[in-house]
Structure formats: C-alpha cells, structure tokens
Amino acid sequence: MADTTGGIEAFYLENRSFSPPDSVKSDAWITGSEEYEQAERDWQGYWARQAGDLLDWSKEWETILEWDRPFAKWFVGGELNVSFNCVDRHVASGLGGRVAYHWVGEPGDTRTITYADLLADVERFANVLKGYGVGKGDRVAIYMPMIPELPVAMLACTRIGAVHSVVFGGFSSDALRDRINDAEAKVLVTADGGYRKGKANLLKPAVDLALAACPSITDVVVARRVGHAPSGSEERTVDMTDGRDHWWDSAMESVEASCPPEAMGSEDLLYLLYTSGTTAKPKGIMHTTGGYLTQVAFTHKYVFDLHAERDVYWCAADIGWVTGHSYIVYGPLANGATSVLYEGAPDHPDKDRWWQIVEDYKVSILYCAPTAIRACMKWGTSYPESHDLSSLRILGSVGEPINPEAWIWYQTTIGGGRCPVVDTWWQTETGAIMISPLPGATTTKPGSATFPLPGISAQVVDESGSPVSVGGGYLTIDRPWPSMLRGIYKDPERYQETYWSRFEGRYFAGDGAKLDDDGYFWLLGRVDDVMNVSGHRVSTTEVESALVDHQSVAEAAVVGASDPVTGQAIVAFVTLKSAFTPDQDHGEALRSFVADRIGKFGRPKTIIFTDDLPKTRSGKIMRRLLRDVAEGRDLGDTTTLADPGVVEEIRARASVSPTEE
Ligand code: WT7
C-alpha cells in the first residue's frame, strides 16, 4: 500500500498556500487586509455599518454598544422585525418570485417555496399562534423534522415577538419535556413525524409522552408529514387530544391572511436554544434580535461570498441545531438567498444522494460537517464522481476540527480543485461564525480555520490567561461581538461562571487551539467535559447521569474517544450493582436507556463494564486515563466488553499516576 502520510504531506506542502483562481475571487472585498485593518481601527463602527447596510430598521439605534461585562447590549434603542427583514422586504423589492427554499423530502417528493409563498405562510401561522394567546415574549417550543413548516413556525414567532425554542427532532421525549418546562413554553409546534433512512420516524408519540408532564403547554399544532399518506395508500393514525391538539392545515385555513410585523427592540429575546454544558442540566442559550441578525447576515454573505441573485446555497445541517438556525434560516433569508432544504439522510436511497441534489439544483455553495465528509470519503469517490458537481464554487465546513486529509479530499474530489474551502469555527453561544477564511481573500492551510473575521478579536492564552503568539493554549475572545449569547435563560450566575470566570476579562470558548508561525488558528477540540460526536455536542456528565439513573448502575464514567468518522465516539465505563450481570444484553439495555433519556445521538457506542473506576484521592474520576484506555482498544459498534483485562489495565495505569487530573 502506498504511503498515504507522505502523499498527504506532499500535497499539504504544495497546497499550503491554496488560493482560489481569479474566477472565483470575491468582488466584495477590496483586499483582505484593508478590510481587517479598517474593522480593527473602529470595531464598533464597523459592526454598526454592517447593521445599517445589511438590515432594515424601523427605528435607528441610539448607542452601538453598552458593555457591562459580561453583559452586552448592541444597537440599543433600535427597532426591527426579523421576519420583515427575512421575508417582507424581499417581496416588497420585487423578489417575491425568487425561490427561498428548494425543499427535498427524503422519499423524493419536492416543494418549491418562493419568498411570496413564505410570506403568506408566515403571516397566517403568526395569526394561528396569536389565536392561542401567544404574544410578545411568550415562549413557543418547536419539535419538527426538516420540513418547510419548521422555518415558517420560527419566522411566525419572530413576527409577533414570541421567543422560539427549537428542540432537535432527534431528542427523546424526556429531553423535550425538560426543555419545554425550563422555558415554560405556552404552545408546541410539531409534526406527526418525518422521514429518515427510508423510515417514517414518528414524533407525535414522543410529544404525547412529554406533554404528560408539561403544565405550561395549552395548545399543540401538528403538521402533517407522515400521517396523511397519499390517497390510495395506507393511513397512519395519529392520536390527537381534543381541545389541545390542532392540525396545521386546518388551523391555517381558519385564520386571516395578513399579520403585520411587530417592531421589536434590538435587545428583545429572539430565541432560546438548549445546549449541553459540563453539568447534566442543559443550558438555555439566549440570543437577541438586532446584533444576532446583523452578524448572521454579515457572515453568511461574506464567508460564503454570496451572490444571492445567482447562487444556490445548501447548508446540510438540521435546523434543530444552531447551524440550521443561523445558516439555514436567518442568515440566508436575511440575504434573500435561494437555499436547498433537505429532509433526510445522505445515504438514502443511495450514498450519492447529496451529489444528486447538488447536480439537480446546481448548488454553488455547500456547507456541511467534517463527519459527513469523512463518511463520504469512506464510501468512495465513485459516488461524487458519477455526478456533475461543476456548479460548486465554495465549500464550507463546520462543527469540529477538519483533519487535513478530509479538507484535501473535500477540496479536490468534491470541489474539483477550484473551490475554496472555508473552515468556520463558532458555537451555539457565539451565534455566528467567528473564525474563518474569506474565500478569495485568505490564503488557506488545510485543517486551519485561519483567522478571526474582521471585527472579531480572539486570542489563544496560556494557563494563566496570557496571550501566546505561537503555540498551544485556550481559545478566548476579549471583546463583545454582535451575535454573542446574552446569557443562560434564568441563570445569569451560570453564564458568568461558565464563560467569563476562567480567564480575567475574557470569554472562554471551551476549546483548545494553537497558533502557528504565521499566526493561523488551528482548533484542537474541547478541553472541558463536552464531547463532539458527528458535530453534535454531548456532555459526558449528561450521559453519566442518565446511566446512573438506571437501577442496575452503581457508577459510570463517560469519555469521548477519538473516532475516524464521527470525530469522537461515546464510551461509557460502567460498574454494576452486585445483583446484576455485566453481559451483552445488559449493555444493550443500558444503551437504549440512554437513548430514551437523551436521544439516539447521545447513546454510547461502547459500554465497558469494570469492577471499579480510577479516581484521584479527592474522588474525581480520572477521565483522561479512561480515554487512553478507550482509545487503545478496538471498539466495536455495539460490543459490550466485560473484560477483566480492562480493569487491570486501568489499575496498572492508575497506580502510575494516582493524582492525575
Ligand atoms: C463546538 C461548538 C457551530 C455550529 C456547530 C456546533 C466545535 C465548531 C468548529 C471548527 C473546530 C469546531 C468546537 C466548539 N467546532 N466548529 N470549524 N473547527 N471545532 O455548535 O454544538 O455549539 O459546538 O464545536 O469545539 O466549541 P456547538
């Protein structure tokens, strides 16, 4: 076999300064450095210019920024409406016929939604919500598959000033219940189900289970997706609770067509999005209106060099995560872009589904996660090579560090060597892209997210909080940015503690990073107890606490072990109470127990039964050691190992450095 390492290194050296050909260079930037310098000289003024250029405000702001660390207020006194900016103004300027979404259902059905269609639906659905008593500041939970009704529901909330809390459709009913209760949501918008990997994935049963313990919910709207099979085929029955549950289509018919947008304050709450932290309780990340929309519109336009009149943009994420909020819904719509919205899995009905979609819709900008790129690499080049991908112009990556091999494969096999790859670092908390190349202006290096965007100030610091100029450390941000989280819902102390206390005067992202000799940023992954599985954030503590809730479990320790496709894989070390037998069946039972608690994506890949767990003298589980053990093993997909060797290995290692961590 050829020495692939040498090959990649050689390629890397050749392409270390990859610059796209002139034909794809952006005309939006005079030169990279001038833009950065200007932004640095007056960063507040820079963001104010973006807010004014990219958005329509019904009332001008008085103050650009009020900064009472760690609490920021942007464009204070300004008023605007998000749905107006995302929809109405495009229709008003004659673009009502432009496609907002080319929707592709997994079974092959399609829908085309123009900006005019979107406006009509958003207005009606806003009236539906109003009819259930939803007003400014009220929370609306949304639990849906990737169907057009999902962005409609979100935009309808923003139209009337309600706060949405979207819960990813892959979450379990327990997780849904906890999120609804924390937000005290009044209304839940859902669907009977969605299609994934050729199966109808039912959502309503999980909803009914959750709502048995959600006293704040008065009304539920259910969109039809799988329940109403086309005439002639089998009907699936869906339980509807009288007085509480309403079908989407009949609710839409019974309201008026027009609903004027509410003028909202720049700092009014736009949405909550729950994300995992280092404790078992998820955090309700708060995003507000004016600053958030400014930065998502800005980054969507410039990071992807968007030319809305001709580009077809596809972000292959799920709207249930922040990537979808910012880069399927708010950024693209604010910019009047035409997007693809795809319901299903990349390998259904075959492993070329994505490339078929790129060819069918002539996608020019593709934004996806490294885990998907690595899965495609594994499936082989024949799938992309059997399709015409010449429409592609820009390729984006997000969610986890992209290894140089995957970067290069993406750039050559998918991008045909023509397309710049933009590796974009950001978080649920940052709301929008923070560190990324600008295509055509930034010389890229495979595997590096390059530099903070104009207007953003990020540093790598050492243990004591001093910035390092070359080498590794912790990624921090030392001044506010427009789309930053405004806090954790109902928990300002946790906000301060989690993000602003580790390093004086700095936001700590939770990531390790390194700066190379040329000042390029290389992201190294989380340094806290947060795992990254296929670009999804899962907390070790959350999985551990689900496990110890099982009657058989005495103790559990969870680690993220590196995995060639998913980035990290969840490995759980479990000690059972003496009455229980550590065998394959029991491991399976525990895996599905966790899936019920969190969702399938939180299910451990491997469970390793041990007699005891290595701890420091103070009783802290030595996770780093467990990670070493997990990474040193050949871990099967569902294998449950009851291997006395593991315990010995742990003991042997533990005795070497008993106070580690
Ligand atoms: C964590 C945030 C941002 C949307 C998807 C995930 C990791 C994200 C990159 C990147 C290296 C990345 C970080 C970050 N991450 N993008 N380009 N390179 N790591 O959002 O669930 O809030 O997770 O994802 O570790 O802290 P999230």
PDB file of all heavy atoms in Angstrom, residues 275 321-323 397-402 423-429 449 509-511 523-526 532 535-537, ligand 1:
ATOM      1  N   THR A 275     -28.299  23.815  24.927  1.00  0.00           N
ATOM      2  CA  THR A 275     -27.089  23.100  24.539  1.00  0.00           C
ATOM      3  C   THR A 275     -26.468  22.469  25.772  1.00  0.00           C
ATOM      4  O   THR A 275     -26.745  22.884  26.900  1.00  0.00           O
ATOM      5  CB  THR A 275     -26.104  24.064  23.830  1.00  0.00           C
ATOM      6  OG1 THR A 275     -25.025  23.293  23.284  1.00  0.00           O
ATOM      7  CG2 THR A 275     -25.531  25.095  24.771  1.00  0.00           C
ATOM      8  N   TRP A 321     -30.283  22.411  15.312  1.00  0.00           N
ATOM      9  CA  TRP A 321     -29.035  22.860  15.943  1.00  0.00           C
ATOM     10  C   TRP A 321     -28.770  24.300  15.522  1.00  0.00           C
ATOM     11  O   TRP A 321     -29.396  24.812  14.599  1.00  0.00           O
ATOM     12  CB  TRP A 321     -27.868  21.975  15.508  1.00  0.00           C
ATOM     13  CG  TRP A 321     -28.104  20.523  15.751  1.00  0.00           C
ATOM     14  CD1 TRP A 321     -28.429  19.593  14.810  1.00  0.00           C
ATOM     15  CD2 TRP A 321     -28.049  19.813  16.999  1.00  0.00           C
ATOM     16  NE1 TRP A 321     -28.572  18.357  15.390  1.00  0.00           N
ATOM     17  CE2 TRP A 321     -28.341  18.458  16.730  1.00  0.00           C
ATOM     18  CE3 TRP A 321     -27.768  20.199  18.324  1.00  0.00           C
ATOM     19  CZ2 TRP A 321     -28.384  17.479  17.732  1.00  0.00           C
ATOM     20  CZ3 TRP A 321     -27.804  19.215  19.313  1.00  0.00           C
ATOM     21  CH2 TRP A 321     -28.104  17.881  19.012  1.00  0.00           C
ATOM     22  N   VAL A 322     -27.793  24.924  16.143  1.00  0.00           N
ATOM     23  CA  VAL A 322     -27.572  26.348  15.859  1.00  0.00           C
ATOM     24  C   VAL A 322     -27.153  26.590  14.408  1.00  0.00           C
ATOM     25  O   VAL A 322     -27.480  27.620  13.819  1.00  0.00           O
ATOM     26  CB  VAL A 322     -26.563  26.973  16.851  1.00  0.00           C
ATOM     27  CG1 VAL A 322     -25.135  26.580  16.509  1.00  0.00           C
ATOM     28  CG2 VAL A 322     -26.727  28.482  16.907  1.00  0.00           C
ATOM     29  N   THR A 323     -26.449  25.641  13.820  1.00  0.00           N
ATOM     30  CA  THR A 323     -26.023  25.819  12.424  1.00  0.00           C
ATOM     31  C   THR A 323     -27.235  26.076  11.540  1.00  0.00           C
ATOM     32  O   THR A 323     -27.215  26.944  10.665  1.00  0.00           O
ATOM     33  CB  THR A 323     -25.258  24.581  11.921  1.00  0.00           C
ATOM     34  OG1 THR A 323     -24.227  24.281  12.844  1.00  0.00           O
ATOM     35  CG2 THR A 323     -24.652  24.830  10.557  1.00  0.00           C
ATOM     36  N   SER A 397     -17.127  24.188   5.964  1.00  0.00           N
ATOM     37  CA  SER A 397     -17.035  23.109   6.948  1.00  0.00           C
ATOM     38  C   SER A 397     -17.320  23.688   8.323  1.00  0.00           C
ATOM     39  O   SER A 397     -16.920  24.811   8.625  1.00  0.00           O
ATOM     40  CB  SER A 397     -15.622  22.517   6.893  1.00  0.00           C
ATOM     41  OG  SER A 397     -15.414  21.631   7.976  1.00  0.00           O
ATOM     42  N   VAL A 398     -18.001  22.919   9.153  1.00  0.00           N
ATOM     43  CA  VAL A 398     -18.351  23.409  10.493  1.00  0.00           C
ATOM     44  C   VAL A 398     -18.629  22.265  11.470  1.00  0.00           C
ATOM     45  O   VAL A 398     -19.044  21.191  11.066  1.00  0.00           O
ATOM     46  CB  VAL A 398     -19.621  24.302  10.455  1.00  0.00           C
ATOM     47  CG1 VAL A 398     -20.838  23.544   9.973  1.00  0.00           C
ATOM     48  CG2 VAL A 398     -19.911  24.924  11.837  1.00  0.00           C
ATOM     49  N   GLY A 399     -18.386  22.522  12.740  1.00  0.00           N
ATOM     50  CA  GLY A 399     -18.846  21.613  13.783  1.00  0.00           C
ATOM     51  C   GLY A 399     -17.747  20.934  14.553  1.00  0.00           C
ATOM     52  O   GLY A 399     -17.920  20.557  15.701  1.00  0.00           O
ATOM     53  N   GLU A 400     -16.605  20.737  13.918  1.00  0.00           N
ATOM     54  CA  GLU A 400     -15.492  20.063  14.582  1.00  0.00           C
ATOM     55  C   GLU A 400     -14.241  20.357  13.776  1.00  0.00           C
ATOM     56  O   GLU A 400     -14.327  20.818  12.634  1.00  0.00           O
ATOM     57  CB  GLU A 400     -15.736  18.550  14.670  1.00  0.00           C
ATOM     58  CG  GLU A 400     -16.590  18.075  13.554  1.00  0.00           C
ATOM     59  CD  GLU A 400     -16.591  16.581  13.325  1.00  0.00           C
ATOM     60  OE1 GLU A 400     -15.780  15.856  13.907  1.00  0.00           O
ATOM     61  OE2 GLU A 400     -17.386  16.161  12.498  1.00  0.00           O
ATOM     62  N   PRO A 401     -13.097  20.054  14.368  1.00  0.00           N
ATOM     63  CA  PRO A 401     -11.873  20.264  13.596  1.00  0.00           C
ATOM     64  C   PRO A 401     -11.906  19.373  12.349  1.00  0.00           C
ATOM     65  O   PRO A 401     -12.355  18.237  12.409  1.00  0.00           O
ATOM     66  CB  PRO A 401     -10.772  19.797  14.554  1.00  0.00           C
ATOM     67  CG  PRO A 401     -11.378  19.858  15.924  1.00  0.00           C
ATOM     68  CD  PRO A 401     -12.832  19.568  15.724  1.00  0.00           C
ATOM     69  N   ILE A 402     -11.493  19.929  11.206  1.00  0.00           N
ATOM     70  CA  ILE A 402     -11.428  19.111   9.995  1.00  0.00           C
ATOM     71  C   ILE A 402      -9.973  18.708   9.790  1.00  0.00           C
ATOM     72  O   ILE A 402      -9.087  19.560   9.739  1.00  0.00           O
ATOM     73  CB  ILE A 402     -12.045  19.829   8.766  1.00  0.00           C
ATOM     74  CG1 ILE A 402     -11.911  18.950   7.518  1.00  0.00           C
ATOM     75  CG2 ILE A 402     -11.490  21.230   8.539  1.00  0.00           C
ATOM     76  CD1 ILE A 402     -12.816  19.368   6.353  1.00  0.00           C
ATOM     77  N   ASP A 423     -13.265  26.774   6.466  1.00  0.00           N
ATOM     78  CA  ASP A 423     -13.457  26.056   7.726  1.00  0.00           C
ATOM     79  C   ASP A 423     -13.868  27.098   8.749  1.00  0.00           C
ATOM     80  O   ASP A 423     -13.098  27.994   9.080  1.00  0.00           O
ATOM     81  CB  ASP A 423     -12.144  25.371   8.119  1.00  0.00           C
ATOM     82  CG  ASP A 423     -12.207  24.727   9.490  1.00  0.00           C
ATOM     83  OD1 ASP A 423     -13.313  24.605  10.058  1.00  0.00           O
ATOM     84  OD2 ASP A 423     -11.141  24.338  10.009  1.00  0.00           O
ATOM     85  N   THR A 424     -15.115  26.980   9.229  1.00  0.00           N
ATOM     86  CA  THR A 424     -15.698  28.037  10.051  1.00  0.00           C
ATOM     87  C   THR A 424     -15.812  27.599  11.499  1.00  0.00           C
ATOM     88  O   THR A 424     -16.543  26.676  11.815  1.00  0.00           O
ATOM     89  CB  THR A 424     -17.103  28.383   9.534  1.00  0.00           C
ATOM     90  OG1 THR A 424     -17.946  27.227   9.667  1.00  0.00           O
ATOM     91  CG2 THR A 424     -17.070  28.795   8.067  1.00  0.00           C
ATOM     92  N   TRP A 425     -15.113  28.272  12.394  1.00  0.00           N
ATOM     93  CA  TRP A 425     -15.253  27.960  13.825  1.00  0.00           C
ATOM     94  C   TRP A 425     -16.248  28.908  14.472  1.00  0.00           C
ATOM     95  O   TRP A 425     -16.172  30.123  14.314  1.00  0.00           O
ATOM     96  CB  TRP A 425     -13.910  28.089  14.567  1.00  0.00           C
ATOM     97  CG  TRP A 425     -14.109  27.804  16.042  1.00  0.00           C
ATOM     98  CD1 TRP A 425     -14.051  26.585  16.647  1.00  0.00           C
ATOM     99  CD2 TRP A 425     -14.462  28.755  17.072  1.00  0.00           C
ATOM    100  NE1 TRP A 425     -14.341  26.712  17.987  1.00  0.00           N
ATOM    101  CE2 TRP A 425     -14.603  28.021  18.280  1.00  0.00           C
ATOM    102  CE3 TRP A 425     -14.680  30.128  17.084  1.00  0.00           C
ATOM    103  CZ2 TRP A 425     -14.932  28.629  19.496  1.00  0.00           C
ATOM    104  CZ3 TRP A 425     -15.029  30.738  18.291  1.00  0.00           C
ATOM    105  CH2 TRP A 425     -15.144  29.995  19.486  1.00  0.00           C
ATOM    106  N   TRP A 426     -17.169  28.322  15.206  1.00  0.00           N
ATOM    107  CA  TRP A 426     -18.100  29.096  16.031  1.00  0.00           C
ATOM    108  C   TRP A 426     -18.842  28.143  16.938  1.00  0.00           C
ATOM    109  O   TRP A 426     -18.560  26.943  16.955  1.00  0.00           O
ATOM    110  CB  TRP A 426     -19.042  29.941  15.178  1.00  0.00           C
ATOM    111  CG  TRP A 426     -19.914  29.188  14.212  1.00  0.00           C
ATOM    112  CD1 TRP A 426     -19.514  28.483  13.114  1.00  0.00           C
ATOM    113  CD2 TRP A 426     -21.347  29.098  14.233  1.00  0.00           C
ATOM    114  NE1 TRP A 426     -20.606  27.955  12.456  1.00  0.00           N
ATOM    115  CE2 TRP A 426     -21.739  28.320  13.112  1.00  0.00           C
ATOM    116  CE3 TRP A 426     -22.338  29.603  15.077  1.00  0.00           C
ATOM    117  CZ2 TRP A 426     -23.090  28.028  12.840  1.00  0.00           C
ATOM    118  CZ3 TRP A 426     -23.659  29.320  14.800  1.00  0.00           C
ATOM    119  CH2 TRP A 426     -24.022  28.541  13.686  1.00  0.00           C
ATOM    120  N   GLN A 427     -19.791  28.637  17.714  1.00  0.00           N
ATOM    121  CA  GLN A 427     -20.502  27.830  18.710  1.00  0.00           C
ATOM    122  C   GLN A 427     -21.954  28.297  18.839  1.00  0.00           C
ATOM    123  O   GLN A 427     -22.275  29.410  18.441  1.00  0.00           O
ATOM    124  CB  GLN A 427     -19.868  28.009  20.098  1.00  0.00           C
ATOM    125  CG  GLN A 427     -18.384  27.858  20.149  1.00  0.00           C
ATOM    126  CD  GLN A 427     -17.845  28.121  21.539  1.00  0.00           C
ATOM    127  OE1 GLN A 427     -17.903  29.240  22.039  1.00  0.00           O
ATOM    128  NE2 GLN A 427     -17.326  27.088  22.175  1.00  0.00           N
ATOM    129  N   THR A 428     -22.769  27.454  19.472  1.00  0.00           N
ATOM    130  CA  THR A 428     -24.136  27.866  19.796  1.00  0.00           C
ATOM    131  C   THR A 428     -24.091  29.225  20.497  1.00  0.00           C
ATOM    132  O   THR A 428     -24.897  30.114  20.224  1.00  0.00           O
ATOM    133  CB  THR A 428     -24.782  26.821  20.729  1.00  0.00           C
ATOM    134  OG1 THR A 428     -24.722  25.542  20.090  1.00  0.00           O
ATOM    135  CG2 THR A 428     -26.227  27.166  21.035  1.00  0.00           C
ATOM    136  N   GLU A 429     -23.135  29.381  21.385  1.00  0.00           N
ATOM    137  CA  GLU A 429     -23.025  30.607  22.181  1.00  0.00           C
ATOM    138  C   GLU A 429     -22.599  31.809  21.350  1.00  0.00           C
ATOM    139  O   GLU A 429     -22.985  32.939  21.659  1.00  0.00           O
ATOM    140  CB  GLU A 429     -21.994  30.412  23.305  1.00  0.00           C
ATOM    141  CG  GLU A 429     -22.405  29.433  24.386  1.00  0.00           C
ATOM    142  CD  GLU A 429     -22.024  27.989  24.062  1.00  0.00           C
ATOM    143  OE1 GLU A 429     -21.772  27.676  22.880  1.00  0.00           O
ATOM    144  OE2 GLU A 429     -21.974  27.176  25.004  1.00  0.00           O
ATOM    145  N   ALA A 449      -8.657  26.955  10.560  1.00  0.00           N
ATOM    146  CA  ALA A 449      -9.789  27.877  10.358  1.00  0.00           C
ATOM    147  C   ALA A 449      -9.262  29.284  10.049  1.00  0.00           C
ATOM    148  O   ALA A 449     -10.044  30.225   9.924  1.00  0.00           O
ATOM    149  CB  ALA A 449     -10.693  27.875  11.580  1.00  0.00           C
ATOM    150  N   ALA A 509     -14.002  29.835  25.400  1.00  0.00           N
ATOM    151  CA  ALA A 509     -14.847  29.058  24.498  1.00  0.00           C
ATOM    152  C   ALA A 509     -14.967  27.590  24.895  1.00  0.00           C
ATOM    153  O   ALA A 509     -15.908  26.909  24.495  1.00  0.00           O
ATOM    154  CB  ALA A 509     -14.288  29.155  23.079  1.00  0.00           C
ATOM    155  N   GLY A 510     -14.009  27.081  25.662  1.00  0.00           N
ATOM    156  CA  GLY A 510     -14.020  25.645  25.975  1.00  0.00           C
ATOM    157  C   GLY A 510     -13.178  24.831  25.011  1.00  0.00           C
ATOM    158  O   GLY A 510     -13.056  23.623  25.153  1.00  0.00           O
ATOM    159  N   ASP A 511     -12.585  25.502  24.014  1.00  0.00           N
ATOM    160  CA  ASP A 511     -11.764  24.813  23.022  1.00  0.00           C
ATOM    161  C   ASP A 511     -10.280  25.064  23.258  1.00  0.00           C
ATOM    162  O   ASP A 511      -9.886  26.152  23.666  1.00  0.00           O
ATOM    163  CB  ASP A 511     -12.081  25.337  21.611  1.00  0.00           C
ATOM    164  CG  ASP A 511     -13.362  24.762  21.063  1.00  0.00           C
ATOM    165  OD1 ASP A 511     -13.324  23.629  20.584  1.00  0.00           O
ATOM    166  OD2 ASP A 511     -14.404  25.445  21.141  1.00  0.00           O
ATOM    167  N   LEU A 523      -7.795  24.763  15.473  1.00  0.00           N
ATOM    168  CA  LEU A 523      -8.662  24.343  16.577  1.00  0.00           C
ATOM    169  C   LEU A 523      -8.346  22.901  16.955  1.00  0.00           C
ATOM    170  O   LEU A 523      -8.181  22.058  16.087  1.00  0.00           O
ATOM    171  CB  LEU A 523     -10.127  24.470  16.167  1.00  0.00           C
ATOM    172  CG  LEU A 523     -10.773  25.849  16.310  1.00  0.00           C
ATOM    173  CD1 LEU A 523     -10.627  26.346  17.742  1.00  0.00           C
ATOM    174  CD2 LEU A 523     -10.219  26.878  15.348  1.00  0.00           C
ATOM    175  N   LEU A 524      -8.280  22.649  18.258  1.00  0.00           N
ATOM    176  CA  LEU A 524      -7.834  21.336  18.710  1.00  0.00           C
ATOM    177  C   LEU A 524      -8.916  20.529  19.417  1.00  0.00           C
ATOM    178  O   LEU A 524      -8.644  19.456  19.932  1.00  0.00           O
ATOM    179  CB  LEU A 524      -6.632  21.503  19.656  1.00  0.00           C
ATOM    180  CG  LEU A 524      -5.424  22.245  19.064  1.00  0.00           C
ATOM    181  CD1 LEU A 524      -4.370  22.472  20.127  1.00  0.00           C
ATOM    182  CD2 LEU A 524      -4.849  21.472  17.887  1.00  0.00           C
ATOM    183  N   GLY A 525     -10.137  21.046  19.501  1.00  0.00           N
ATOM    184  CA  GLY A 525     -11.198  20.301  20.191  1.00  0.00           C
ATOM    185  C   GLY A 525     -11.397  20.807  21.602  1.00  0.00           C
ATOM    186  O   GLY A 525     -10.656  21.652  22.100  1.00  0.00           O
ATOM    187  N   ARG A 526     -12.427  20.259  22.255  1.00  0.00           N
ATOM    188  CA  ARG A 526     -12.831  20.741  23.575  1.00  0.00           C
ATOM    189  C   ARG A 526     -11.804  20.361  24.637  1.00  0.00           C
ATOM    190  O   ARG A 526     -11.200  19.301  24.580  1.00  0.00           O
ATOM    191  CB  ARG A 526     -14.183  20.128  23.974  1.00  0.00           C
ATOM    192  CG  ARG A 526     -15.304  20.369  22.992  1.00  0.00           C
ATOM    193  CD  ARG A 526     -15.802  21.770  22.974  1.00  0.00           C
ATOM    194  NE  ARG A 526     -16.284  22.223  24.269  1.00  0.00           N
ATOM    195  CZ  ARG A 526     -17.089  23.274  24.429  1.00  0.00           C
ATOM    196  NH1 ARG A 526     -17.526  23.953  23.366  1.00  0.00           N
ATOM    197  NH2 ARG A 526     -17.457  23.651  25.615  1.00  0.00           N
ATOM    198  N   ASN A 532     -17.792  15.843  21.243  1.00  0.00           N
ATOM    199  CA  ASN A 532     -18.289  16.287  19.947  1.00  0.00           C
ATOM    200  C   ASN A 532     -18.445  15.037  19.072  1.00  0.00           C
ATOM    201  O   ASN A 532     -17.468  14.483  18.592  1.00  0.00           O
ATOM    202  CB  ASN A 532     -17.308  17.286  19.333  1.00  0.00           C
ATOM    203  CG  ASN A 532     -17.886  17.960  18.108  1.00  0.00           C
ATOM    204  OD1 ASN A 532     -18.626  17.343  17.341  1.00  0.00           O
ATOM    205  ND2 ASN A 532     -17.545  19.212  17.906  1.00  0.00           N
ATOM    206  N   GLY A 535     -20.216  16.253  15.140  1.00  0.00           N
ATOM    207  CA  GLY A 535     -20.534  17.679  15.171  1.00  0.00           C
ATOM    208  C   GLY A 535     -21.659  18.023  16.138  1.00  0.00           C
ATOM    209  O   GLY A 535     -22.079  19.167  16.226  1.00  0.00           O
ATOM    210  N   HIS A 536     -22.163  17.029  16.875  1.00  0.00           N
ATOM    211  CA  HIS A 536     -23.198  17.293  17.886  1.00  0.00           C
ATOM    212  C   HIS A 536     -22.560  17.329  19.256  1.00  0.00           C
ATOM    213  O   HIS A 536     -21.737  16.507  19.602  1.00  0.00           O
ATOM    214  CB  HIS A 536     -24.282  16.206  17.873  1.00  0.00           C
ATOM    215  CG  HIS A 536     -25.051  16.180  16.598  1.00  0.00           C
ATOM    216  ND1 HIS A 536     -25.751  15.081  16.192  1.00  0.00           N
ATOM    217  CD2 HIS A 536     -25.210  17.107  15.637  1.00  0.00           C
ATOM    218  CE1 HIS A 536     -26.317  15.338  15.030  1.00  0.00           C
ATOM    219  NE2 HIS A 536     -26.007  16.564  14.666  1.00  0.00           N
ATOM    220  N   ARG A 537     -23.014  18.279  20.027  1.00  0.00           N
ATOM    221  CA  ARG A 537     -22.424  18.450  21.332  1.00  0.00           C
ATOM    222  C   ARG A 537     -23.131  17.561  22.354  1.00  0.00           C
ATOM    223  O   ARG A 537     -24.347  17.607  22.489  1.00  0.00           O
ATOM    224  CB  ARG A 537     -22.578  19.900  21.743  1.00  0.00           C
ATOM    225  CG  ARG A 537     -21.654  20.294  22.829  1.00  0.00           C
ATOM    226  CD  ARG A 537     -22.171  21.525  23.442  1.00  0.00           C
ATOM    227  NE  ARG A 537     -21.795  22.702  22.677  1.00  0.00           N
ATOM    228  CZ  ARG A 537     -21.651  23.888  23.270  1.00  0.00           C
ATOM    229  NH1 ARG A 537     -21.855  24.032  24.543  1.00  0.00           N
ATOM    230  NH2 ARG A 537     -21.319  24.933  22.556  1.00  0.00           N
TER     231      ARG A 537
HETATM  232  C1  WT7 B   1     -18.158  23.407  19.375  1.00  0.00           C
HETATM  233  C2  WT7 B   1     -19.454  24.144  19.374  1.00  0.00           C
HETATM  234  C3  WT7 B   1     -21.029  25.926  15.414  1.00  0.00           C
HETATM  235  C4  WT7 B   1     -22.081  25.073  14.966  1.00  0.00           C
HETATM  236  C5  WT7 B   1     -21.945  23.610  15.221  1.00  0.00           C
HETATM  237  C6  WT7 B   1     -21.527  23.210  16.611  1.00  0.00           C
HETATM  238  C7  WT7 B   1     -16.614  22.729  17.770  1.00  0.00           C
HETATM  239  C8  WT7 B   1     -17.356  24.036  15.751  1.00  0.00           C
HETATM  240  C9  WT7 B   1     -15.536  24.048  14.560  1.00  0.00           C
HETATM  241  C10 WT7 B   1     -14.468  24.178  13.615  1.00  0.00           C
HETATM  242  C11 WT7 B   1     -13.082  23.056  15.133  1.00  0.00           C
HETATM  243  C12 WT7 B   1     -15.266  23.381  15.768  1.00  0.00           C
HETATM  244  C13 WT7 B   1     -15.889  23.453  18.897  1.00  0.00           C
HETATM  245  C14 WT7 B   1     -16.966  24.319  19.502  1.00  0.00           C
HETATM  246  N1  WT7 B   1     -16.426  23.379  16.482  1.00  0.00           N
HETATM  247  N2  WT7 B   1     -16.827  24.435  14.583  1.00  0.00           N
HETATM  248  N3  WT7 B   1     -14.635  24.775  12.434  1.00  0.00           N
HETATM  249  N4  WT7 B   1     -13.263  23.657  13.949  1.00  0.00           N
HETATM  250  N5  WT7 B   1     -14.050  22.878  16.049  1.00  0.00           N
HETATM  251  O1  WT7 B   1     -22.071  24.034  17.600  1.00  0.00           O
HETATM  252  O2  WT7 B   1     -22.819  22.403  19.343  1.00  0.00           O
HETATM  253  O3  WT7 B   1     -22.322  24.796  19.923  1.00  0.00           O
HETATM  254  O4  WT7 B   1     -20.482  23.193  19.362  1.00  0.00           O
HETATM  255  O5  WT7 B   1     -17.994  22.740  18.125  1.00  0.00           O
HETATM  256  O6  WT7 B   1     -15.432  22.513  19.808  1.00  0.00           O
HETATM  257  O7  WT7 B   1     -16.714  24.665  20.837  1.00  0.00           O
HETATM  258  P1  WT7 B   1     -21.997  23.609  19.105  1.00  0.00           P
END
